[in-house]
Amino acid sequence: MPELAIWSIIGAPLASFLLIGLGVRPAFGPRQASAGYLTILAIAYSLGMSLWVLAETLGAEGHRLALPTHEVLSAGGFSLEVGLLVDGLTAVMLIIVTAVSLLVQVYSQGYMHGDSGYTRYFSYMSLFTASMLLLVLANNLVLLYVGWEMVGLCSYLLIGHWFHRPSAAAAAKKAFIVTRFGDFFFLLAIIFLFTQTGALVISDSAGEADVYGVVGKTLTGAALTWVALGIFAGAVGKSAQFPLHTWLPDAMEGPTPVSALIHAATMVAAGVFLVARFFPLIHAADTAITIVAVIGAFTAVFAASMGMVMKDIKRVLAYSTISQLGYMMMGLGVGAYAPAMFHLFNHAFFKALLFLGSGSVNHATGTFDMRLMGGLRKAMPWTWGVFLVGSLSLAGIPPFSGFFSKDEILGAAWHRGDTLGQFVFWMGLAGVFMTAFYVFRALFMTFHGEYKGGEVGAHGEARHPHESPRVMVLPMVILAVASIVSWVANAPGQNQLAGLLGYEGEEVQTFPLALSLIAALAGIGVATGMYLFRALSAEGVSRATRPLYTLVARKYFFDELYEDVLVRRVFYRGLAAAMDRFDRTVVDGTVDMVGLVGRNAGRVLVRAQTGQLQFYGVVLSLGVLAILAAFLLWGR
């Protein structure tokens, strides 16, 4: 396959961004809609080329394409070479990114219709997709980091698309700042890797001068652990893992298609991809890989607990994303490399579906508050149907795709048999119950019961819900089909995806699979009893568990901890105030003292300059006598 054709996968959406930004429009279609058409054409091209890459990778030796690197900078003994890395992991990620992005762009034409920032929106979406594709294809740490930071920049621009809203501007700033903490440690890991090994190429054909080849020979013990943890820290920020999870729920202030793309195929998927890309390095550091498993398992349950009480449907799905990313991280942590990537593959489809479904509901009701919805099943049968498919897949009910990948992770944890494996398994099982509960709670509150009127209009009238236009329904239907059949990519006994990733598939673990299914059905049953049949009052449960409910509903007070305590009190009133006092007293005081000395010394010298020659002669004579006395006393 020509190398230029692979570069064009990145180049097509990048060109779309530049053309839209420069005001170039296709000759067909309405002027405003043409920006959307150009983005769709560019990403459709990238999807077609990605399918070609997948076919070539499947047939290549070792499922990897041999591609050259190109020197772009040479200074002294330093040489920077960039190139593309196309292996099984790259091929899978290319399909995820381009397929989901294409469907989101089609959906966006209906959702963003009439928006004043329509053209700007599609230009940023093109750049967002190009940035993620650059990150996925990069075979150089510098190029990878460029893509990594561009993804963060684009998320900032898109989350703050409606920047005139203070909440959207604050959410964009929060996402940008919080993820910088993880990015900083990731950058430190890259710098340390380079200074210790001299390697910037991630993987080459020789396997000697690349990161994979030299790390095991050069870095051991604590050094290897710290590098692995630095890489994982970057993933924690981008994938919103504990404790850098707080930005993701607030990112719901952006347009819903942006949320779908961030949560399914780009920003948060970048963190999981990063750990997967450097899996051999991280897996070699026992402490680091254990931390990955523990953080992932804890995040899966921690985030799911908050999803159980949220009243905004998009925030329920946001915490669901954090939880599911935790599943992927804990899968990587217990060595289940292929199952974790399989879950990322499936999750991209059913989570994008659920977000687009929430956008469809918002399009009809004008709100994301589930307390103002209800009874939408009759008015929006297509949206209800696809949302049900996504819910069943997320909950892990067979034959939907989420069942197969989630249970592969739990089965791998159970198969380990050690303390870490048992911890991960039981935490994951608790997460299965919570996941099934909160997603069906959202389904019942939104589509069943009586309609609550939605957002009240300007004259106090209730909205009359209706099905979304076909341009929004069609992508959801396609994603629903994918949520049913995507498990075929790694069907039990076949393990096609595992083979593509170079991972040896494991036998199906019947006992953990059965426990997982029971937990999922139990979660659906409890949600059905509380929100469909009203056999148990949700309000009564919340009153009975008021302290615990308040703790979870207030998101364990992490926003208050970060924003009020750490930022306002510790940073502004503590560190910043101390620096301000130091500046005013020490720095300004020193400057003022120097000026005072200079001014007064000048006055003394002015008085000494009398202009009388006899006075100068006396001073000169005294100086000579002083020098002579010093010579006589100390000269010998």
Side-chain angles (χ1 to χ4, degrees):
M1 182 176 186
E3 182 190 6
L4 185 60
I6 305 176
W7 279 106
S8 70
I9 296 175
I10 305 169
L14 183 60
S16 171
F17 161 72
L18 293 174
L19 291 174
I20 295 172
L22 293 172
V24 179
R25 301 286 186 270
F28 55 87
R31 180 169 177 78
Q32 186 192 48
S34 60
Y37 295 149
L38 192 56
T39 301
I40 290 169
L41 285 173
I43 298 176
Y45 171 83
S46 295
L47 174 58
M49 298 303 293
S50 298
L51 291 171
W52 187 10
V53 167
L54 176 62
E56 291 289 321
T57 306
L58 285 170
E61 182 180 356
H63 300 307
R64 175 172 175 165
L65 303 184
L67 297 170
T69 57
H70 308 277
E71 185 179 79
V72 296
L73 177 65
S74 179
F78 173 74
S79 175
L80 178 62
E81 296 183 343
V82 299
L84 301 176
L85 172 55
V86 179
D87 57 6
L89 177 61
T90 304
V92 172
M93 289 299 300
L94 287 178
I95 298 301
I96 293 173
V97 175
T98 54
V100 174
S101 181
L102 177 61
L103 293 172
V104 167
Q105 308 315 319
V106 174
Y107 177 96
S108 297
Q109 286 196 303
Y111 190 86
M112 299 299 292
H113 178 72
D115 188 89
S116 59
Y118 185 94
T119 300
R120 172 169 49 88
Y121 169 87
F122 276 102
S123 68
Y124 290 160
M125 287 292 257
S126 296
L127 182 62
F128 200 9
T129 304
S131 302
M132 187 65 189
L133 292 171
L134 174 64
L135 167 63
V136 168
L137 283 163
N139 190 26
N140 177 282
L141 288 170
V142 175
L143 197 61
L144 184 147
Y145 195 74
V146 169
W148 184 266
E149 289 301 308
M150 286 176 63
V151 166
L153 171 64
C154 292
S155 68
Y156 166 79
L157 296 172
L158 286 166
I159 292 169
H161 175 75
W162 292 312
F163 54 84
H164 54 277
R165 301 179 184 175
S167 58
K173 182 170 65 176
K174 184 176 182 179
F176 193 79
I177 293 173
V178 172
T179 55
R180 292 287 75 73
F181 284 96
D183 294 353
F184 172 72
F185 290 105
F186 180 32
L187 179 60
L188 289 182
I190 292 175
I191 295 172
F192 185 78
L193 264 176
F194 176 70
T195 56
Q196 296 299 311
T197 67
L200 284 175
V201 175
I202 298 171
S203 178
D204 62 19
S205 57
E208 296 177 358
D210 61 15
V211 170
Y212 291 163
V214 302
V215 166
K217 302 174 184 177
T218 309
L219 299 181
T220 57
L224 179 61
T225 298
W226 284 115
V227 168
L229 289 177
I231 294 171
F232 179 58
V236 166
K238 280 287 192 291
S239 291
Q241 297 294 280
F242 176 86
L244 301 181
H245 63 280
T246 56
W247 69 268
L248 193 57
D250 288 4
M252 298 303 97
E253 293 294 337
T256 300
V258 172
S259 303
L261 194 57
I262 288 177
H263 288 248
T266 51
M267 179 91 163
V268 297
V272 178
F273 167 78
L274 185 70
V275 176
R277 173 57 77 205
F278 292 97
F279 183 74
L281 186 155
I282 299 173
H283 192 263
D286 292 339
T287 301
I289 201 67
T290 301
I291 291 175
V292 172
V294 171
I295 292 293
F298 177 79
T299 303
V301 175
F302 177 72
S305 66
M306 289 181 278
M308 296 172 69
V309 300
M310 291 295 119
K311 299 175 177 63
D312 184 301
I313 188 171
K314 281 182 68 176
R315 288 184 180 269
V316 172
L317 298 177
Y319 283 111
S320 170
T321 298
I322 299 172
S323 178
Q324 295 305 303
L325 292 166
Y327 269 97
M328 300 168 206
M329 289 296 187
M330 75 184 194
L332 291 167
V334 296
Y337 171 70
M341 295 309 299
F342 183 34
H343 195 52
L344 177 63
F345 180 76
N346 290 334
H347 176 264
F349 298 117
F350 64 70
K351 185 52 63 67
L353 169 61
L354 290 170
F355 267 107
L356 297 187
S358 71
S360 179
V361 168
N362 169 255
H363 188 264
T365 64
T367 183
F368 290 107
D369 191 336
M370 295 184 293
R371 294 170 298 179
L372 302 178
M373 299 180 189
L376 298 178
R377 180 169 62 92
K378 294 181 181 179
M380 308 179 69
W382 282 99
T383 301
W384 170 78
V386 297
F387 201 95
L388 176 61
V389 169
S391 300
L392 289 167
S393 189
L394 174 59
I397 304 299
F400 299 91
S401 61
F403 167 79
F404 296 93
S405 54
K406 186 182 295 184
D407 286 324
E408 281 192 18
I409 294 174
L410 294 176
W414 178 266
H415 183 70
R416 281 179 63 105
D418 58 3
T419 303
L420 178 63
Q422 290 297 305
F423 170 77
V424 166
F425 173 78
W426 291 108
M427 291 289 282
L429 196 65
V432 170
F433 171 83
M434 294 180 180
T435 300
F437 174 83
Y438 67 64
V439 73
F440 273 85
R441 168 181 175 264
L443 177 75
F444 295 142
M445 289 183 68
T446 302
F447 294 98
H448 294 263
E450 298 296 327
Y451 180 52
K452 310 300 190 304
E455 184 182 65
V456 177
H459 302 290
E461 73 281 5
R463 283 190 178 235
H464 298 288
H466 53 83
E467 187 59 88
S468 296
R470 283 176 292 180
V471 72
M472 295 172 63
V473 171
L474 180 60
M476 293 193 292
V477 171
I478 296 173
L479 287 168
V481 173
S483 299
I484 298 172
V485 304
S486 62
W487 64 270
V488 176
N490 202 49
Q494 302 297 319
N495 299 311
Q496 299 94 330
L497 188 142
L500 180 63
L501 296 174
Y503 178 89
E504 185 177 347
E506 299 175 352
E507 294 182 1
V508 176
Q509 303 288 317
T510 306
F511 179 69
L513 184 148
L515 284 181
S516 173
L517 183 57
I518 292 171
L521 292 174
I524 294 173
V526 174
T528 303
M530 291 180 66
Y531 294 96
L532 186 60
F533 297 127
R534 307 290 178 178
L536 184 63
S537 170
E539 293 76 12
V541 172
S542 63
R543 284 194 300 268
T545 59
R546 179 60 61 186
L548 178 61
Y549 178 84
T550 301
L551 178 66
V552 178
R554 294 291 297 273
K555 298 168 282 189
Y556 297 93
F557 296 96
F558 265 86
D559 284 336
E560 288 82 356
L561 172 64
Y562 288 164
E563 297 175 20
D564 295 338
V565 178
L566 294 181
V567 175
R568 292 189 178 90
R569 297 184 185 180
V570 175
F571 182 77
Y572 284 126
R573 299 178 189 173
L575 180 61
M579 293 175 67
D580 177 63
R581 285 194 297 271
F582 178 82
D583 180 66
R584 286 187 285 105
T585 56
V586 178
V587 177
D588 290 350
T590 302
V591 172
D592 292 342
M593 183 180 297
V594 170
L596 179 65
V597 171
R599 288 193 302 272
N600 292 331
R603 290 171 184 167
V604 173
L605 292 174
V606 166
R607 296 184 178 221
Q609 301 300 317
T610 62
Q612 299 179 0
L613 291 177
Q614 60 269 33
F615 176 75
Y616 297 155
V618 171
V619 173
L620 181 62
S621 300
L622 290 175
V624 171
L625 292 174
I627 293 171
L628 180 62
F631 176 77
L632 292 174
L633 291 173
W634 299 292
R636 297 178 184 178

